[in-house]
Amino acid sequence: MNCMDEPQDMHYEWFHESFSRPIFKHAYSQKESLESITRYIFDNCLTININKKNQYALSALILDLYLIDQLTRSLGTIGIFTSNGSLSANGSMQYQVIQCSSASFSRLINALEDAKLIERKMGAKGHSTKIRASKALIDISTKFNLTLDNYIYPSPFPILYKDSDDNKVNMPKKTAKALGLEAIGKYNKLLCQTNITVGSNSLYAFEKISKRQFSDKDGECNGRLYGPIWQRLPKVLRSYIKINGNSTVEIDIKSTHPLIAYALNGHDLTAYVKKSGSPYHIKFWQDSDNQYDRMISKHSLLVMLNASSESEAVKAITKHINQEVDLATGERFLNQRMVELKAESGLNNVKEVLECLVLRNSAIRDHMFVGAWAYLNRIESDICLNVIKYFAEKNIAILTVHDSFIIEERCKEELERVIVQEIQNVLKIKYDDKSQIVSEEPKHEGMTKELLNKRLVASRVVKGKTDYRNDKLRFIGSMV
């Protein structure tokens, strides 16, 4: 059978950018099946000669094209570069995936398009070209039993660090053992064996894998767990997660970084809140019940603890205020609220917010504007690891979103108790009001199946921290 003679079904339109991403690397457990597909395509469909490099590139391409087709119901695309002049950061990542030059890759793409195995839409100068699998390529992949159940994480080693070139590499095994190597391995195995669904959609094993990522080879900076799809889901969508068919709750550590920073300086944040009120209350909205006032303060204080300088903090907060706001959060804009505050209370700019928060939280002034995120994340991740170890040893699946945890409803009280216990153990402090340490995230109900699936697809496609923009409101103008 010659693929070029096959009738093609070009049945769908090019879709929104939300369903497009750069080419991504995958690993596949059934190597023989994948090799059979590539050999079949070279022998029956393509007019170029086979060699090791373009065979490898085709295998990598098939895996990603098939995955994005299946996860997006044929609506997704991947972005590629086919000329040296277009190679940017994405192009560099592309080479790591396909392991061949742009010229060789370009010939392969042209041959696939001529054989009507892919559809292509050229990008503007400096932008990626979008491609996706045709029905013929999906039919061939299905014929040779390609399935998402056999996709595995590219590298099974669960502890990484960033080297001097910002590449993620495996932590030396001796160091990794002290950082939870065995525990994370057992945790990932448990999750892969657990039935986890979002609405009516089951998650695949490769979507459940967590890796602990450090910013240094010594394992002293960061250390958060990254990777599983629930970390990319919008908060409202996490309400629809079920574990083994059972409804779940999400328990959040309240004000995690301020809580840790206060403890490092010997202060109990819960006692402070009990005596003086929230660390986010400042003079401009001391008596306000407007949700955006707290949002501005909370985000600002977190940025102050993360930023390396005051100017960096001002820039980051200004950018946040001028971004979009999810409809689930409310229908007014943050920057509009800043304009209102200017009229109501004399607030002129972001810097005044920072000055008030410094005064409000003078007990942790030494943690502000010094890049404290690195060691605060490290401590937070130790707490998180201890919590998941506790439940993994009891064979109970628990999902982490850094400082919040998703678990079956029946385990709610036990989870709250364990979180508080591990926070006190790691920070070596006894809290005055334990009820102020954790809170339950409100449940979202009423999302239509169509919208749920749409938002899930976007989260599955995107790698990294990206929101689904079709459900966002855009800001009008800027205050600062």
Side-chain angles (χ1 to χ4, degrees):
M1 181 180 71
N2 190 310
C3 299
M4 296 176 68
D5 297 330
E6 284 288 294
Q8 303 301 314
D9 181 11
M10 305 299 187
H11 60 285
Y12 37 72
E13 299 295 328
W14 288 96
F15 205 72
H16 194 276
E17 287 287 330
S18 293
F19 294 140
S20 178
R21 59 156 170 75
I23 189 170
F24 194 73
K25 183 179 181 180
H26 305 283
Y28 196 71
S29 63
Q30 302 298 318
K31 185 179 179 182
E32 298 79 8
S33 174
L34 185 58
E35 288 178 345
S36 297
I37 298 172
T38 56
R39 282 197 303 269
Y40 177 88
I41 290 175
F42 272 112
D43 291 344
N44 297 279
C45 306
L46 304 185
T47 56
I48 59 175
N49 295 326
I50 185 172
N51 58 48
K52 282 188 176 181
K53 283 195 171 182
N54 59 25
Q55 184 177 10
Y56 182 91
L58 179 59
S59 296
L61 195 58
I62 287 171
L63 283 177
D64 204 25
L65 286 169
Y66 182 80
L67 180 137
I68 204 165
D69 179 271
Q70 297 299 293
L71 290 184
T72 66
R73 298 174 178 84
S74 303
L75 296 173
T77 62
I78 60 176
I80 60 168
F81 293 93
T82 55
S83 65
N84 288 323
S86 299
L87 291 182
S88 59
N90 282 341
S92 175
M93 183 178 74
Q94 173 179 295
Y95 180 80
Q96 294 176 27
V97 175
I98 62 174
Q99 298 292 299
C100 73
S101 67
S102 293
S104 297
F105 191 52
S106 180
R107 286 193 292 272
L108 177 61
I109 293 298
N110 290 336
L112 288 168
E113 186 178 32
D114 290 342
K116 295 184 170 61
L117 292 178
I118 64 168
E119 300 174 26
R120 168 161 54 172
K121 184 178 181 182
M122 298 297 293
K125 186 176 181 180
H127 293 265
S128 63
T129 291
K130 303 298 187 292
I131 63 170
R132 65 180 167 204
S134 70
K135 186 176 183 298
L137 180 56
I138 298 303
D139 287 345
I140 293 170
S141 302
T142 303
K143 175 183 176 181
F144 286 93
N145 300 315
L146 197 69
T147 168
L148 296 189
D149 291 322
N150 288 328
Y151 279 69
I152 56 177
Y153 209 84
S155 171
F157 199 80
I159 301 185
L160 310 173
Y161 74 94
K162 284 189 177 182
D163 64 14
S164 56
D165 295 321
D166 211 31
N167 296 315
K168 296 173 185 175
V169 296
N170 291 348
M171 182 72 75
K173 196 166 184 179
K174 185 177 180 180
T175 306
K177 283 183 177 180
L179 298 172
L181 176 63
E182 183 179 355
I184 298 172
K186 288 181 178 178
Y187 173 62
N188 282 334
K189 184 177 180 180
L190 172 63
L191 292 187
C192 287
Q193 295 171 345
T194 301
N195 179 29
I196 303 171
T197 58
V198 182
S200 59
N201 305 276
S202 293
L203 300 183
Y204 296 96
F206 69 89
E207 296 180 297
K208 304 173 186 177
I209 300 297
S210 290
K211 294 197 170 192
R212 195 174 191 192
Q213 297 182 16
F214 292 88
S215 301
D216 66 312
K217 194 174 182 179
D218 296 325
E220 295 179 355
C221 301
N222 200 4
R224 278 181 162 183
L225 292 173
Y226 294 95
I229 187 173
W230 44 84
Q231 293 184 349
R232 303 195 300 273
L233 294 180
K235 187 177 291 187
V236 294
L237 211 59
R238 297 203 295 264
S239 295
Y240 296 89
I241 291 177
K242 288 190 176 182
I243 298 176
N244 294 321
N246 300 316
S247 296
T248 59
V249 293
E250 181 170 354
I251 304 299
D252 177 60
I253 302 175
K254 298 170 71 172
S255 305
T256 312
H257 279 186
L259 185 82
I260 295 172
Y262 270 87
L264 290 177
N265 286 6
H267 300 292
D268 176 355
L269 180 57
T270 68
Y272 174 87
V273 169
K274 194 172 183 179
K275 180 180 178 181
S276 306
S278 169
Y280 308 126
H281 282 172
I282 59 178
K283 67 179 183 180
F284 293 109
W285 44 77
Q286 187 71 38
D287 300 317
S288 171
D289 59 358
N290 188 299
Q291 61 175 322
Y292 289 117
D293 299 343
R294 186 179 185 278
M295 286 172 60
I296 294 169
S297 273
K298 182 176 181 180
H299 180 80
S300 297
L301 182 55
L302 292 179
V303 170
M304 292 160 69
L305 291 171
N306 289 340
S308 299
S309 66
E310 184 175 329
S311 60
E312 181 185 320
V314 170
K315 185 177 179 180
I317 295 164
T318 300
K319 181 180 178 181
H320 172 75
I321 288 171
N322 293 320
Q323 282 181 342
E324 303 162 340
V325 176
D326 198 316
L327 280 169
T329 307
E331 294 185 357
R332 284 200 287 171
F333 305 112
L334 278 176
N335 67 338
Q336 287 181 340
R337 179 58 183 159
M338 291 290 281
V339 172
E340 293 168 3
L341 286 166
K342 183 177 180 180
E344 292 173 10
S345 58
L347 173 65
N348 291 309
N349 53 48
V350 165
K351 197 167 182 179
E352 290 188 8
V353 175
L354 268 65
E355 291 169 353
C356 290
L357 287 170
V358 168
L359 290 173
R360 179 72 174 169
N361 298 277
S362 58
I364 57 171
R365 176 65 181 84
D366 56 323
H367 297 291
M368 298 178 186
F369 315 122
V370 294
W373 68 271
Y375 58 83
L376 294 177
N377 276 359
R378 174 66 164 85
I379 295 169
E380 174 202 285
S381 68
D382 285 344
I383 295 167
C384 173
L385 185 61
N386 288 350
V387 172
I388 65 173
K389 279 170 63 177
Y390 172 89
F391 286 98
E393 287 171 2
K394 299 182 71 172
N395 210 36
I396 297 174
I398 181 170
L399 318 182
T400 66
V401 189
H402 306 314
D403 61 353
S404 70
F405 304 85
I406 300 168
I407 202 166
E408 293 177 50
E409 287 180 342
R410 64 183 176 86
C411 301
K412 175 190 170 184
E413 291 183 3
E414 185 177 10
L415 173 59
E416 291 174 334
R417 177 180 59 78
V418 171
I419 292 173
V420 173
Q421 173 184 302
E422 294 304 334
I423 289 174
Q424 293 187 138
N425 289 343
V426 171
L427 297 178
K428 296 178 173 54
I429 188 172
K430 295 293 183 183
Y431 282 100
D432 178 66
D433 186 356
K434 296 179 178 61
S435 67
Q436 292 296 317
I437 297 177
V438 296
S439 63
E440 180 180 350
E441 291 287 351
K443 276 281 189 181
H444 184 278
E445 298 178 348
M447 184 179 290
T448 65
K449 183 178 180 180
E450 180 184 9
L451 180 57
L452 185 151
N453 290 338
K454 193 177 181 183
R455 299 191 77 173
L456 175 60
V457 164
S459 298
R460 279 177 147 167
V461 170
V462 175
K463 297 291 179 183
K465 189 176 180 181
T466 304
D467 292 319
Y468 181 59
R469 300 197 178 281
N470 281 359
D471 294 329
K472 297 280 185 173
L473 289 172
R474 292 199 173 275
F475 279 74
I476 306 168
S478 165
M479 176 202 168
V480 286

